[in-house]
Amino acid sequence: MEEHRKVKDISINKDDDLQSIFRQLSESGGFESRNLADGLEILSTMINDKDCLKFLSFVAAITSTGLRGIITDMLRRKMFDVVITTCGALDHDIARYFSHYLEGSFTLDDSKLLEENIHRLGNVLVPMDSYGPIIEEKMQMFLEEAYKSGKREMSTADITKMIGEHLGEGSFLYWAYKNNIPVIVPGIVDGAVGSQIWLFTQKHRDFKLNVVSDSELLSSLVFKAKKSGSLMLGGGISKHHTLWWNQYRDGLDYAVYITTAQEFDGSLSGALVREAISWGKVTQNAKQTTIHAEVTTILPFLYQALLSRIK
């Protein structure tokens, strides 16, 4: 028992900065405050580690919210080397670049929203005209341009680079393209952009989507990495694809996972980072933590504290 630190009360004054609050969280004993403080320490070390290949994975839903701005800024600052996400993130990035979403409520009448041609994503409202028609128009235009330039086969990394090239500074795909950060979407057919690729192949039968090529890209990065680390925002395929590829180099050396899922249903989304150690997807001596929190609430504070620690 003498090895354990004493629990200290948190004392906050009006002049305290965020760093001092995080420092107090690290000494407060419990419960998620410790994990949040540990997450800041791990991310600071990971991002400052020049030998580390850094992954960012996230679920699509957060890009329908203002958190898209933080994702965009992370890539603008080149804080990560690889992005793994889902098709919806591409959908929302295109839709919000050319149009807008609206604030809503979890308690709105969905039947009435349907009559008004509005989709509901949690408490975010997505006008139909801001989503499907825009994505269809832009994707067909982007793909047609690529086809006319001679492209007959593209990976998902090629697709996301193509999209980013046609967008601007408010887009996370633009900054990924600008900074040569590959964005890989293993489940790309599960969304509007993927459906538009399929529709494009109906007109151009010689055009192919090559997802195996993404594996070639990931292998070229992972196998030569001295170390690797990841910030994983939400679970599902984006989280698992990140873990899966890092098992080939004996696992992640740094891992921070933010989730609201619980582990007792055996799901991948609910699995804590430590479970991945048993699969060889995270190293036994990794600096790792799972933060049980809603990401749009927590990440802005974590990110602000992180910025002052980046060399």
Side-chain angles (χ1 to χ4, degrees):
M1 293 296 294
E2 292 178 358
E3 296 176 2
H4 296 274
R5 297 187 307 184
K6 293 180 180 178
V7 171
K8 294 184 179 180
D9 288 343
I10 296 173
S11 176
I12 296 177
N13 300 308
K14 66 178 183 178
D15 297 324
D16 287 346
D17 62 15
L18 201 53
Q19 292 295 332
S20 69
I21 293 172
F22 267 89
R23 185 167 54 253
Q24 290 192 72
L25 292 180
S26 71
E27 299 172 343
S28 65
F31 297 106
E32 283 304 310
S33 60
R34 283 276 307 280
N35 291 335
L36 181 59
D38 287 348
L40 176 61
E41 291 295 330
I42 294 166
L43 288 174
S44 302
T45 306
M46 178 184 86
I47 291 171
N48 287 322
D49 189 338
K50 303 302 182 184
D51 291 329
C52 180
L53 176 68
K54 303 167 187 69
F55 286 78
L56 173 65
S57 75
F58 56 91
V59 296
I62 63 174
T63 58
S64 73
T65 76
L67 209 66
R68 171 175 173 253
I70 293 179
I71 300 296
T72 300
D73 198 55
M74 286 176 169
L75 300 182
R76 182 181 68 83
R77 294 175 183 271
K78 304 179 183 178
M79 292 171 66
F80 296 92
D81 305 303
V82 188
V83 173
I84 298 180
T85 189
T86 60
C87 186
L90 316 185
D91 301 347
H92 297 316
D93 203 39
I94 295 170
R96 293 190 64 206
Y97 181 77
F98 290 106
S99 187
H100 59 270
Y101 291 176
L102 303 170
E103 292 182 353
S105 167
F106 286 98
T107 59
L108 291 173
D109 185 328
D110 292 289
S111 296
K112 189 172 182 180
L113 289 174
L114 178 63
E115 293 173 2
E116 296 177 0
N117 294 321
I118 296 175
H119 305 299
R120 182 174 66 84
L121 200 170
N123 60 353
V124 174
L125 300 181
V126 181
M128 291 186 185
D129 289 343
S130 297
Y131 188 72
I134 287 178
I135 296 169
E136 179 176 0
E137 174 193 347
K138 300 302 180 182
M139 280 303 299
Q140 292 305 316
M141 182 177 71
F142 300 162
L143 288 165
E144 195 67 52
E145 182 181 306
Y147 187 84
K148 287 179 178 177
S149 72
K151 295 282 179 62
R152 295 295 182 271
E153 182 175 294
M154 299 178 77
S155 65
T156 72
D158 295 329
I159 293 287
T160 56
K161 182 178 180 180
M162 174 193 73
I163 297 171
E165 190 175 2
H166 287 85
L167 304 184
E169 294 195 356
S171 154
F172 81 85
L173 288 173
Y174 168 80
W175 284 108
Y177 150 72
K178 190 79 172 176
N179 290 328
N180 199 30
I181 300 168
V183 178
I184 294 166
V185 189
I188 196 168
V189 295
D190 185 33
V193 164
S195 291
Q196 290 306 314
I197 296 170
W198 169 74
L199 284 171
F200 187 79
T201 65
Q202 303 307 295
K203 297 184 294 183
H204 303 283
R205 291 293 184 175
D206 57 340
F207 183 83
K208 304 296 180 185
L209 179 65
N210 186 350
V211 294
V212 174
S213 183
D214 293 311
S215 297
E216 296 291 344
L217 173 58
L218 284 169
S219 67
S220 71
L221 296 170
V222 167
F223 289 140
K224 68 180 182 183
K226 294 179 181 178
K227 300 179 191 175
S228 68
S230 179
L231 170 59
M232 296 169 281
L233 308 175
I237 192 172
S238 55
K239 175 199 177 191
H240 185 259
H241 211 61
T242 302
L243 293 171
W244 181 262
W245 271 97
N246 277 280
Q247 73 181 318
Y248 295 120
R249 59 162 311 279
D250 298 324
L252 291 163
D253 299 288
Y254 306 95
V256 175
Y257 178 38
I258 304 177
T259 184
T260 55
Q262 47 84 23
E263 65 180 328
F264 302 107
D265 60 3
S267 67
L268 182 280
S269 294
L272 278 63
V273 174
R274 70 184 187 210
E275 183 179 304
I277 295 172
S278 72
W279 293 84
K281 297 171 183 176
V282 174
T283 63
Q284 293 184 52
N285 298 317
K287 299 179 185 297
Q288 57 85 14
T289 192
T290 300
I291 302 170
H292 299 272
E294 195 275 306
V295 68
T296 68
T297 306
I298 290 297
L299 189 60
F301 298 99
L302 185 59
Y303 186 55
Q304 199 281 338
L306 183 61
L307 286 177
S308 64
R309 296 190 177 203
I310 297 172
K311 296 177 182 177

